[in-house]
Amino acid sequence: ILRDEKAKKLSESDPEAFGELIRASEGTIGNALELLCSSRDSRKLHEKTSELIALLSGAGKAEIAMFFITGNFTRDELDELMLFLSLAVRDMLTVKYGISTEMLFFPRCDEAVNASAEFARETLTQIYSCAEKMRGNLLVNVNPQLFSLKCADMLSEAVK
């Protein structure tokens, strides 16, 4: 990946963002290059995912809906947000089950432990399922605003 000029520049100028990109690509060079070349601000979406996880741990349906409404996400941003949510939940499940593996969303294992503290394993599994289902739904022609509300509704149900 460091043969790519953008990747090399990012690794030198912002190692943390480069690490996030590598983790989000799940070790696949093609995915890393796609994320690198996308017009999306992956760091912003990474932060938004962390914000969403915090909301899912205790906010009500209205607050989760407001997150999506005020986010004004594009279809591509929603897809990446759901990807990051899936990766984050995967990390949280691995620490819940005591599996020692490399983190894909969280920079450190202790962050995954802290984030997972508020969730039961079953709830995390439901959130993961919801995020993956939403990513699949994005493949069809959907309105991003209506899709955002559907995400809020499904995620709210998952954490009940």
Side-chain angles (χ1 to χ4, degrees):
I1 184 90
L2 290 177
R3 291 181 185 163
D4 182 86
E5 193 60 36
K6 281 185 177 180
K8 187 174 182 176
K9 284 181 183 177
L10 182 63
S11 72
E12 293 168 354
S13 65
D14 192 347
E16 186 176 323
F18 183 73
E20 290 173 5
L21 178 123
I22 296 301
R23 284 189 298 279
S25 70
E26 299 178 287
T28 305
I29 292 174
N31 288 348
L33 291 173
E34 183 180 322
L35 288 171
L36 184 66
C37 294
S38 75
S39 60
R40 301 182 296 271
D41 182 354
S42 290
R43 174 164 249 150
K44 177 190 126 196
L45 289 170
H46 196 277
E47 291 168 2
K48 284 293 200 183
T49 305
S50 295
E51 184 181 330
L52 177 58
I53 291 166
L55 281 172
L56 292 174
S57 71
K61 197 171 200 172
E63 290 88 353
I64 296 169
M66 286 307 296
F67 168 85
F68 283 99
I69 292 168
T70 59
N72 199 27
F73 301 108
T74 66
R75 177 175 295 152
D76 287 342
E77 289 171 335
L78 286 166
D79 182 52
E80 193 164 336
L81 182 70
M82 291 297 106
L83 168 64
F84 283 165
L85 182 59
S86 293
L87 295 175
V89 170
R90 175 259 183 209
D91 287 353
M92 290 189 284
L93 281 168
T94 61
V95 298
K96 284 271 192 195
Y97 282 98
I99 300 169
S100 178
T101 187
E102 187 174 342
M103 298 286 103
L104 299 178
F105 177 81
F106 294 98
R108 295 184 322 273
C109 187
D110 63 316
E111 291 182 34
V113 169
N114 292 339
S116 68
E118 300 295 319
F119 298 99
R121 292 175 182 173
E122 296 78 22
T123 301
L124 288 171
T125 302
Q126 290 173 343
I127 293 170
Y128 181 86
S129 178
C130 176
E132 286 300 305
K133 183 182 280 186
M134 291 287 87
R135 288 191 74 209
N137 288 343
L138 273 169
L139 296 175
V140 298
N141 191 16
V142 297
N143 176 298
Q145 286 73 33
L146 294 177
F147 181 83
S148 290
L149 291 175
K150 183 66 176 172
C151 282
D153 183 55
M154 288 184 70
L155 288 168
S156 296
E157 290 300 314
V159 296
K160 270 189 173 179

